[in-house]
């Protein structure tokens, strides 16, 4: 059979459960999917990419961000959380968030993520139709939800309106191969139990993910305890919305009991270490959660609190953070860290049958990393060197659904000069206040 595209001479890390590798491997791609993979396969193809011994990996997965917040990158940083939110972020969002703001901001985010090897991301923001338009133009994959809150947002005056708009959004994109709609109640301190229950009902009815910020700060834990006499995870369980559809961002302060509860209910986590450090939220007990059997993936959070969308950098931070914090150098090893950004990321999104590993039949979301760099060589172990030495800028080629979207470190689907203009335009607007 003839393939559409063949990658040859790759040092392939499939990232499957057995960490299968092909040291001089080939991948044949047809109709956007992996047709065959291995060392001794031979296919004719319309196009052949010679990986030249470089490392070939599944596309990276960012399981929590607010993409359009690229337009607020660095804005008001280094202030106390309350000041940062109340004096910087929220006033700008109230004034400026619109279809145009979200589209322009997400274009910038998509450029940055493609350049960094991210092929799928999860977004929670407003005007998700603008995010979907940006994602489709960039030729990426994304799991998208509108943030639902009990007070008026840029997209909805009430939580019920947010839920209704989410239903429409789900219906519009339910069959898409690129956009995976989901429902996004913002957090237990911004959503009443009724809002959370209605949101879970939609998740069940339409078979989608339930994405929420959960147990991010000590302040949140205390607030939920005061209001509901339960810690955040327990609270969700008490009101009947803790199950395997939940993708919880942050999870910095779970109790021991909550860790076991989440493992039992198959809750998925998006660990956002750099945001947690920058906002001084604390350090999530990731090794304990993994040991308990919880699926832990990795997210950048928005660029206003990170301040980049660099998943390789994020797993490098995670791998070192938990060793240092726990004074134990064997915790979160390189294979585990890289799994968080690939296989475990796919599981967190319930897309493990489609993406996250390089296996026959899965979508051809593939990246090639240029390892012939002085800061990577000599390469004793590709997992270790990818996590501790490689930079996101070493990503040379990105293929999504069998189509080349980054080649020779150049993003092909987004015009760099155009998005730089947009970034400058929004900076002027935000500074002038109109
Ligand atoms: Zn967030």
């Amino acid at each position: 059979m003839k393939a559409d595209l063949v990658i040859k001479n790759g040092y392939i890390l499939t990232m499957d459960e057995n960490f299968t590798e092909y040291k001089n491997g080939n991948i044949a791609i047809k109709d956007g999917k992996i047709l065959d993979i291995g060392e001794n396969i031979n296919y004719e193809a319309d196009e052949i990419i010679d990986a030249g011994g470089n490392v070939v990996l599944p596309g990276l997965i960012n399981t929590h961000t607010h993409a359009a917040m690229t337009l607020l990158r660095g804005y008001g940083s280094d202030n106390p959380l309350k000041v940062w939110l109340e004096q910087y972020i929220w006033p700008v969002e109230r004034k400026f968030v619109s279809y145009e703001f979200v589209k322009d901001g997400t274009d910038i985010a998509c450029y940055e993520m493609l350049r960094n090897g991210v092929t799928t991301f999860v977004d929670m923001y407003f005007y998700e139709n603008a995010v979907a338009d940006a994602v489709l133009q960039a030729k990426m994959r994304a799991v998208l939800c509108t943030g639902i809150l009990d007070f008026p947002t840029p997209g909805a005056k009430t939580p019920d309106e947010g839920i209704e708009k989410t239903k429409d959004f789900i219906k519009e994109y339910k069959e898409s191969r690129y956009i995976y709609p989901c429902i996004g109640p913002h957090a237990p301190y911004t959503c009443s139990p009724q809002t959370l229950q209605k949101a879970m009902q939609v998740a069940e009815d339409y078979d989608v993910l339930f994405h929420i910020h959960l147990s991010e700060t000590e302040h949140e834990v205390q607030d939920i305890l005061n209001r509901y006499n339960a810690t955040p995870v327990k609270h969700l369980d008490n009101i009947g919305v803790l199950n395997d559809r939940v993708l919880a961002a942050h999870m910095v302060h779970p109790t021991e009991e909550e860790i076991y509860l989440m493992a039992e209910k198959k809750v998925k986590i998006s660990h956002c270490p750099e945001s947690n450090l920058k906002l001084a939220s604390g350090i999530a007990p990731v090794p304990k959660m993994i040991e308990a059997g919880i699926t832990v993936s990795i997210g950048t959070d928005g660029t206003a609190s990170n301040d980049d969308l660099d998943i390789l950098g994020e797993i490098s931070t995670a791998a070192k953070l938990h060793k240092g914090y726990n004074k134990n150098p064997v915790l979160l090893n390189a294979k585990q860290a890289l799994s968080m950004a690939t296989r475990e990321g796919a599981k967190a999104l319930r897309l493990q049958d489609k993406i996250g590993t390089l296996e026959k039949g899965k979508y051809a979301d593939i990246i090639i990393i240029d390892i012939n760099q002085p800061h990577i060589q000599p390469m004793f172990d590709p997992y270790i060197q990818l996590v501790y030495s490689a930079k996101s800028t070493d990503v040379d080629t990105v293929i999504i659904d069998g189509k080349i979207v980054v080649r020779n470190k150049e993003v092909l689907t987004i015009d760099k000069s155009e998005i730089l203009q947009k970034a400058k335009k929004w900076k002027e607007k935000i500074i002038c206040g109109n």
Side-chain angles (χ1 to χ4, degrees):
M1 198 192 291
K2 198 180 164 199
D4 299 329
L5 176 66
V6 162
I7 301 169
K8 62 172 196 178
N9 299 325
Y11 189 158
I12 302 172
L13 308 181
T14 64
M15 298 308 291
D16 67 11
E17 298 284 347
N18 302 317
F19 292 96
T20 306
E21 294 176 17
Y22 303 105
K23 288 204 169 114
N24 188 9
N26 305 325
I27 304 176
I29 296 161
K30 190 163 181 63
D31 300 328
K33 291 185 177 172
I34 297 173
L35 175 66
D36 206 352
I37 180 167
E39 280 182 356
N40 296 308
I41 61 161
N42 240 322
Y43 286 84
E44 281 185 34
D46 296 333
E47 185 166 12
I48 292 173
I49 296 176
D50 188 345
N54 281 324
V55 170
V56 179
L57 270 181
L60 305 176
I61 301 173
N62 181 359
T63 61
H64 181 67
T65 192
H66 313 282
M69 291 185 86
T70 50
L71 295 179
L72 299 172
R73 194 193 305 268
Y75 188 62
S77 283
D78 294 344
N79 272 299
L81 187 64
K82 200 173 149 65
V83 175
W84 176 67
L85 286 173
E86 291 177 2
Q87 292 181 26
Y88 292 90
I89 301 297
W90 288 344
V92 172
E93 287 190 328
R94 267 195 296 272
K95 190 159 179 89
F96 290 106
V97 172
S98 61
Y99 178 94
E100 194 193 359
F101 179 98
V102 175
K103 174 68 169 59
D104 288 354
T106 307
D107 284 341
I108 295 168
C110 287
Y111 182 96
E112 184 181 353
M113 285 193 275
L114 281 178
R115 184 65 196 82
N116 293 349
V118 173
T119 53
T120 299
F121 68 95
V122 179
D123 187 72
M124 181 199 287
Y125 206 57
F126 308 109
Y127 294 95
E128 285 303 308
N129 55 336
V131 182
D133 290 346
V135 168
L136 292 173
Q137 281 170 21
K139 296 193 162 60
M140 295 181 77
R141 247 182 261 286
V143 176
L144 306 180
C145 58
T146 295
I148 295 166
L149 293 91
D150 278 343
F151 40 84
T153 69
K157 288 185 193 69
T158 65
D160 284 346
E161 191 187 339
I163 288 171
E164 285 309 311
K165 284 191 167 171
T166 296
K167 281 190 201 169
D168 293 339
F169 184 71
I170 293 171
K171 285 179 202 155
E172 190 175 347
Y173 288 101
K174 194 76 177 78
E175 303 305 321
S176 171
R177 193 163 157 141
Y178 294 94
I179 306 290
Y180 296 82
C182 70
I183 192 151
H186 173 264
Y189 58 92
T190 50
C191 292
S192 68
Q194 293 73 25
T195 301
L196 295 172
Q197 285 163 338
K198 284 180 194 169
M200 182 52 80
Q201 192 58 50
V202 173
E204 300 278 0
D205 290 348
Y206 293 88
D207 190 21
V208 296
L209 213 63
F210 177 101
H211 188 33
I212 188 167
H213 295 90
L214 198 60
S215 205
E216 180 175 358
T217 63
E218 282 172 342
H219 181 264
E220 170 192 337
V221 175
Q222 198 51 54
D223 180 32
I224 298 300
L225 254 176
N226 293 345
R227 279 201 243 177
Y228 305 110
N229 198 26
T231 45
V233 178
K234 201 80 186 49
H235 167 57
L236 259 56
D237 191 41
N238 289 346
I239 63 168
V241 300
L242 196 74
N243 59 41
D244 65 348
R245 292 183 187 285
V246 176
L247 171 62
H250 302 297
M251 198 49 65
V252 180
H253 301 286
T255 63
E256 199 110 327
E257 190 196 346
E258 286 180 319
I259 291 176
Y260 292 113
L261 182 60
M262 289 190 289
E264 186 197 319
K265 301 274 183 173
K266 297 190 164 51
V267 170
K268 322 292 195 296
I269 307 297
S270 177
H271 175 42
C272 305
E274 292 186 6
S275 169
N276 299 154
L277 288 170
K278 186 165 179 258
L279 298 179
S281 304
I283 295 171
V286 167
K288 270 190 190 161
M289 294 196 284
I290 292 175
E291 204 188 303
I294 297 173
T295 297
V296 181
S297 61
I298 191 107
T300 54
D301 207 358
T303 53
S305 55
N306 185 305
D307 289 343
D308 58 31
L309 299 165
D310 173 0
I311 281 294
L312 271 183
E314 202 76 27
I315 56 173
S316 192
T317 298
K320 286 174 273 200
L321 174 68
H322 298 290
K323 290 172 174 66
Y325 181 65
N326 294 287
K327 299 193 179 74
N328 183 350
V330 305
L331 288 180
L332 206 64
N333 65 40
K335 278 184 174 169
Q336 280 179 313
L338 204 54
S339 300
M340 287 167 79
T342 52
R343 188 180 68 235
E344 300 303 301
K347 283 186 202 164
L349 309 186
R350 296 158 57 101
L351 293 175
Q352 67 271 24
D353 296 335
K354 297 185 168 76
I355 56 172
T357 62
L358 299 179
E359 293 176 272
K360 270 187 207 178
K362 287 207 178 175
Y363 288 152
D365 293 4
I366 301 167
I367 64 174
I368 303 175
I369 298 180
D370 174 11
I371 54 162
N372 282 303
Q373 297 292 335
H375 62 271
I376 300 177
Q377 294 293 335
M379 192 174 77
F380 293 103
D381 177 316
Y383 302 95
I384 287 176
Q385 256 125 321
L386 287 181
V387 173
Y388 300 116
S389 313
K391 312 273 175 240
S392 56
T393 45
D394 298 323
V395 173
D396 180 85
T397 305
V398 179
I399 296 163
I400 301 179
D401 211 71
K403 292 171 199 73
I404 302 166
V405 290
V406 176
R407 192 200 292 263
N408 299 328
K409 303 180 182 174
E410 292 284 341
V411 177
L412 304 178
T413 50
I414 302 168
D415 185 331
K416 185 177 173 181
S417 58
E418 209 173 281
I419 57 167
L420 286 174
Q421 284 299 324
K422 286 176 180 174
K424 286 172 189 158
K425 176 190 84 179
W426 282 104
K427 180 192 156 189
E428 292 308 318
K429 275 174 174 278
I430 290 165
I431 286 177
C432 298
N434 59 50

